[in-house]
Amino acid sequence: MDSLIRDCNKLAKHQSASTQKALASIDAAIMQLETARAGLSGNTRTDDISRAKAQVERAQSLVSEQKKELYTNVAKYGKHVEKVFKLDLGVVAESQAFEDKRSVLAQAILLHFLREGDFEAAASFAREAQLELPHETQVQFEEMYRTVSAVRGAMHDLTAALEWAVEHREALEAHGILLEFSLHRLRFLQLVEQGSASKALAYAREWFPRFGGASRPEAVPSQLDEIEHLMGIFIYARRLNESPYAMLFTERRWEDGAHAFASAFCTLLGLSSASPLSVTIGAGARALPIVCKVSGLLRDKKVEWSQQNELAVEVPLPDDMRFHSVFACPVSKEQATAENPPMMMPCGHVVCKASLDKLARGVRPGAVASGRFKCPYCPGMSSLTDAKRVYF
């Protein structure tokens, strides 16, 4: 990957240099043509026209050579990319994978367009896919997108976001979402950054007591420590960039605030905080190289996966792509499913139901005719009736 980045940077520098050379040659040709045109009104000399013609031909030749060289380098880089990312997608492609899930996929795509604020694309897609686009849903997402755009904009306007957070205060607190405090914190820092220390202090006195004072509702977690930390910012009001609070004033805070608002907005609509389509594609992109490699190995060894609709290996995913626990049976090495749930024996060890059934049938040593069997991990005895289903 490092070599690809280096080659990409080299290609970009070469393209920039080539462009400058070509533009310089074209500018010289234009100047020569303007000189020749100015001479047309007077005594035009043949050599002026000849020089202009020669300059244009040189410029044309140079541009063609630069373009040809650039295309050659781009082609070489493309081959380098293909060599590094040598994936045979044919081994994992399944043309019928979404045959019975077309409506679900279409809904996910439509919802993604709405969440991203691309309402024109959403309307066009809904017509082509013959989906109903509820007017109320579109209006709600238009409101969210306007508010998020205002937070991200050059002025970083928090007015609409704060009004919405205050209006939906009870619902947000019921979900344990502290969006209102986060937005008030952003506004406080904005006032401090603008040099309005007195306005920032007045703003803190008006809004912060709800989150750290005696008037704080029991349902609202105390933010007193954070508020006390913020109050120390006035000591460094005239040198924020050199203060311990400098990290609070990065541009990243606006993107974080916009994301927090969109996440809370979607939560109250009963939707996930992140686009399901984006999460799915992101997880698939991470899994693809691993799955292609394993599929190739299994194909060469003429071995099939143990079960359908199941990955042969675990794919490492970041925490923001993990939504529920996954249990893998220590006996069969297979992930639990609704049909094959995890079962806990009296000794506390857990295996999948299919493995438990095999143990009860005497597949492993230690089984007895009474239907009781020994746990594969300890001396404890168990039976099918003793096992309890475990829910994650």
Side-chain angles (χ1 to χ4, degrees), residues 102-115:
R102 289 182 176 273
S103 61
V104 177
L105 181 60
Q107 288 287 350
I109 295 174
L110 177 61
L111 182 61
H112 179 78
F113 284 141
L114 290 174
R115 297 176 71 128

PDB file of all heavy atoms in Angstrom, residues 102-115:
ATOM      1  N   ARG A 102     -34.829  -7.856  -3.338  1.00  0.00           N
ATOM      2  CA  ARG A 102     -34.753  -6.647  -4.150  1.00  0.00           C
ATOM      3  C   ARG A 102     -35.476  -5.468  -3.491  1.00  0.00           C
ATOM      4  O   ARG A 102     -35.002  -4.336  -3.517  1.00  0.00           O
ATOM      5  CB  ARG A 102     -35.328  -6.903  -5.545  1.00  0.00           C
ATOM      6  CG  ARG A 102     -34.449  -7.802  -6.409  1.00  0.00           C
ATOM      7  CD  ARG A 102     -35.027  -7.980  -7.802  1.00  0.00           C
ATOM      8  NE  ARG A 102     -34.151  -8.760  -8.643  1.00  0.00           N
ATOM      9  CZ  ARG A 102     -33.161  -8.252  -9.368  1.00  0.00           C
ATOM     10  NH1 ARG A 102     -32.931  -6.954  -9.338  1.00  0.00           N
ATOM     11  NH2 ARG A 102     -32.415  -9.025 -10.117  1.00  0.00           N
ATOM     12  N   SER A 103     -36.611  -5.736  -2.908  1.00  0.00           N
ATOM     13  CA  SER A 103     -37.379  -4.650  -2.291  1.00  0.00           C
ATOM     14  C   SER A 103     -36.643  -4.076  -1.082  1.00  0.00           C
ATOM     15  O   SER A 103     -36.614  -2.859  -0.877  1.00  0.00           O
ATOM     16  CB  SER A 103     -38.762  -5.152  -1.877  1.00  0.00           C
ATOM     17  OG  SER A 103     -38.655  -6.198  -0.922  1.00  0.00           O
ATOM     18  N   VAL A 104     -36.019  -4.958  -0.300  1.00  0.00           N
ATOM     19  CA  VAL A 104     -35.262  -4.497   0.875  1.00  0.00           C
ATOM     20  C   VAL A 104     -34.067  -3.656   0.438  1.00  0.00           C
ATOM     21  O   VAL A 104     -33.776  -2.597   1.015  1.00  0.00           O
ATOM     22  CB  VAL A 104     -34.794  -5.696   1.722  1.00  0.00           C
ATOM     23  CG1 VAL A 104     -33.949  -5.228   2.896  1.00  0.00           C
ATOM     24  CG2 VAL A 104     -35.990  -6.485   2.217  1.00  0.00           C
ATOM     25  N   LEU A 105     -33.364  -4.122  -0.596  1.00  0.00           N
ATOM     26  CA  LEU A 105     -32.206  -3.387  -1.102  1.00  0.00           C
ATOM     27  C   LEU A 105     -32.625  -2.041  -1.666  1.00  0.00           C
ATOM     28  O   LEU A 105     -31.957  -1.017  -1.438  1.00  0.00           O
ATOM     29  CB  LEU A 105     -31.504  -4.221  -2.179  1.00  0.00           C
ATOM     30  CG  LEU A 105     -30.252  -3.604  -2.809  1.00  0.00           C
ATOM     31  CD1 LEU A 105     -29.193  -3.355  -1.754  1.00  0.00           C
ATOM     32  CD2 LEU A 105     -29.709  -4.509  -3.911  1.00  0.00           C
ATOM     33  N   ALA A 106     -33.742  -2.017  -2.391  1.00  0.00           N
ATOM     34  CA  ALA A 106     -34.232  -0.761  -2.965  1.00  0.00           C
ATOM     35  C   ALA A 106     -34.593   0.229  -1.862  1.00  0.00           C
ATOM     36  O   ALA A 106     -34.292   1.428  -1.954  1.00  0.00           O
ATOM     37  CB  ALA A 106     -35.433  -1.030  -3.858  1.00  0.00           C
ATOM     38  N   GLN A 107     -35.217  -0.257  -0.797  1.00  0.00           N
ATOM     39  CA  GLN A 107     -35.572   0.616   0.315  1.00  0.00           C
ATOM     40  C   GLN A 107     -34.315   1.174   0.993  1.00  0.00           C
ATOM     41  O   GLN A 107     -34.280   2.344   1.395  1.00  0.00           O
ATOM     42  CB  GLN A 107     -36.418  -0.156   1.340  1.00  0.00           C
ATOM     43  CG  GLN A 107     -37.835  -0.463   0.886  1.00  0.00           C
ATOM     44  CD  GLN A 107     -38.726   0.765   0.877  1.00  0.00           C
ATOM     45  OE1 GLN A 107     -38.348   1.818   1.371  1.00  0.00           O
ATOM     46  NE2 GLN A 107     -39.915   0.625   0.315  1.00  0.00           N
ATOM     47  N   ALA A 108     -33.286   0.344   1.119  1.00  0.00           N
ATOM     48  CA  ALA A 108     -32.028   0.799   1.736  1.00  0.00           C
ATOM     49  C   ALA A 108     -31.371   1.892   0.893  1.00  0.00           C
ATOM     50  O   ALA A 108     -30.844   2.876   1.427  1.00  0.00           O
ATOM     51  CB  ALA A 108     -31.081  -0.379   1.916  1.00  0.00           C
ATOM     52  N   ILE A 109     -31.402   1.726  -0.438  1.00  0.00           N
ATOM     53  CA  ILE A 109     -30.816   2.736  -1.330  1.00  0.00           C
ATOM     54  C   ILE A 109     -31.605   4.042  -1.247  1.00  0.00           C
ATOM     55  O   ILE A 109     -31.029   5.136  -1.168  1.00  0.00           O
ATOM     56  CB  ILE A 109     -30.784   2.210  -2.777  1.00  0.00           C
ATOM     57  CG1 ILE A 109     -29.848   0.998  -2.882  1.00  0.00           C
ATOM     58  CG2 ILE A 109     -30.342   3.306  -3.742  1.00  0.00           C
ATOM     59  CD1 ILE A 109     -29.866   0.317  -4.235  1.00  0.00           C
ATOM     60  N   LEU A 110     -32.933   3.935  -1.256  1.00  0.00           N
ATOM     61  CA  LEU A 110     -33.779   5.126  -1.169  1.00  0.00           C
ATOM     62  C   LEU A 110     -33.540   5.870   0.145  1.00  0.00           C
ATOM     63  O   LEU A 110     -33.398   7.097   0.172  1.00  0.00           O
ATOM     64  CB  LEU A 110     -35.245   4.726  -1.295  1.00  0.00           C
ATOM     65  CG  LEU A 110     -36.281   5.846  -1.157  1.00  0.00           C
ATOM     66  CD1 LEU A 110     -36.069   6.901  -2.242  1.00  0.00           C
ATOM     67  CD2 LEU A 110     -37.695   5.286  -1.221  1.00  0.00           C
ATOM     68  N   LEU A 111     -33.471   5.124   1.229  1.00  0.00           N
ATOM     69  CA  LEU A 111     -33.243   5.725   2.537  1.00  0.00           C
ATOM     70  C   LEU A 111     -31.871   6.399   2.598  1.00  0.00           C
ATOM     71  O   LEU A 111     -31.712   7.457   3.214  1.00  0.00           O
ATOM     72  CB  LEU A 111     -33.364   4.665   3.631  1.00  0.00           C
ATOM     73  CG  LEU A 111     -33.206   5.141   5.077  1.00  0.00           C
ATOM     74  CD1 LEU A 111     -34.275   6.160   5.419  1.00  0.00           C
ATOM     75  CD2 LEU A 111     -33.284   3.961   6.035  1.00  0.00           C
ATOM     76  N   HIS A 112     -30.891   5.802   1.944  1.00  0.00           N
ATOM     77  CA  HIS A 112     -29.543   6.385   1.933  1.00  0.00           C
ATOM     78  C   HIS A 112     -29.560   7.734   1.216  1.00  0.00           C
ATOM     79  O   HIS A 112     -28.935   8.702   1.689  1.00  0.00           O
ATOM     80  CB  HIS A 112     -28.569   5.428   1.248  1.00  0.00           C
ATOM     81  CG  HIS A 112     -27.173   5.954   1.179  1.00  0.00           C
ATOM     82  ND1 HIS A 112     -26.307   5.951   2.242  1.00  0.00           N
ATOM     83  CD2 HIS A 112     -26.483   6.539   0.158  1.00  0.00           C
ATOM     84  CE1 HIS A 112     -25.152   6.474   1.894  1.00  0.00           C
ATOM     85  NE2 HIS A 112     -25.236   6.850   0.641  1.00  0.00           N
ATOM     86  N   PHE A 113     -30.235   7.815   0.083  1.00  0.00           N
ATOM     87  CA  PHE A 113     -30.325   9.088  -0.632  1.00  0.00           C
ATOM     88  C   PHE A 113     -30.970  10.162   0.244  1.00  0.00           C
ATOM     89  O   PHE A 113     -30.536  11.306   0.262  1.00  0.00           O
ATOM     90  CB  PHE A 113     -31.134   8.915  -1.921  1.00  0.00           C
ATOM     91  CG  PHE A 113     -30.381   8.239  -3.028  1.00  0.00           C
ATOM     92  CD1 PHE A 113     -31.001   7.323  -3.858  1.00  0.00           C
ATOM     93  CD2 PHE A 113     -29.041   8.520  -3.250  1.00  0.00           C
ATOM     94  CE1 PHE A 113     -30.312   6.703  -4.882  1.00  0.00           C
ATOM     95  CE2 PHE A 113     -28.336   7.898  -4.271  1.00  0.00           C
ATOM     96  CZ  PHE A 113     -28.975   6.992  -5.091  1.00  0.00           C
ATOM     97  N   LEU A 114     -32.032   9.780   0.962  1.00  0.00           N
ATOM     98  CA  LEU A 114     -32.720  10.743   1.829  1.00  0.00           C
ATOM     99  C   LEU A 114     -31.813  11.210   2.958  1.00  0.00           C
ATOM    100  O   LEU A 114     -31.763  12.404   3.278  1.00  0.00           O
ATOM    101  CB  LEU A 114     -33.991  10.108   2.398  1.00  0.00           C
ATOM    102  CG  LEU A 114     -35.130   9.852   1.407  1.00  0.00           C
ATOM    103  CD1 LEU A 114     -36.264   9.088   2.080  1.00  0.00           C
ATOM    104  CD2 LEU A 114     -35.662  11.160   0.828  1.00  0.00           C
ATOM    105  N   ARG A 115     -31.091  10.285   3.564  1.00  0.00           N
ATOM    106  CA  ARG A 115     -30.214  10.634   4.689  1.00  0.00           C
ATOM    107  C   ARG A 115     -29.081  11.539   4.252  1.00  0.00           C
ATOM    108  O   ARG A 115     -28.592  12.364   5.023  1.00  0.00           O
ATOM    109  CB  ARG A 115     -29.649   9.374   5.335  1.00  0.00           C
ATOM    110  CG  ARG A 115     -30.710   8.478   5.947  1.00  0.00           C
ATOM    111  CD  ARG A 115     -30.102   7.196   6.490  1.00  0.00           C
ATOM    112  NE  ARG A 115     -29.331   7.466   7.676  1.00  0.00           N
ATOM    113  CZ  ARG A 115     -29.470   6.827   8.825  1.00  0.00           C
ATOM    114  NH1 ARG A 115     -30.368   5.858   8.935  1.00  0.00           N
ATOM    115  NH2 ARG A 115     -28.743   7.113   9.858  1.00  0.00           N
TER     116      ARG A 115
END
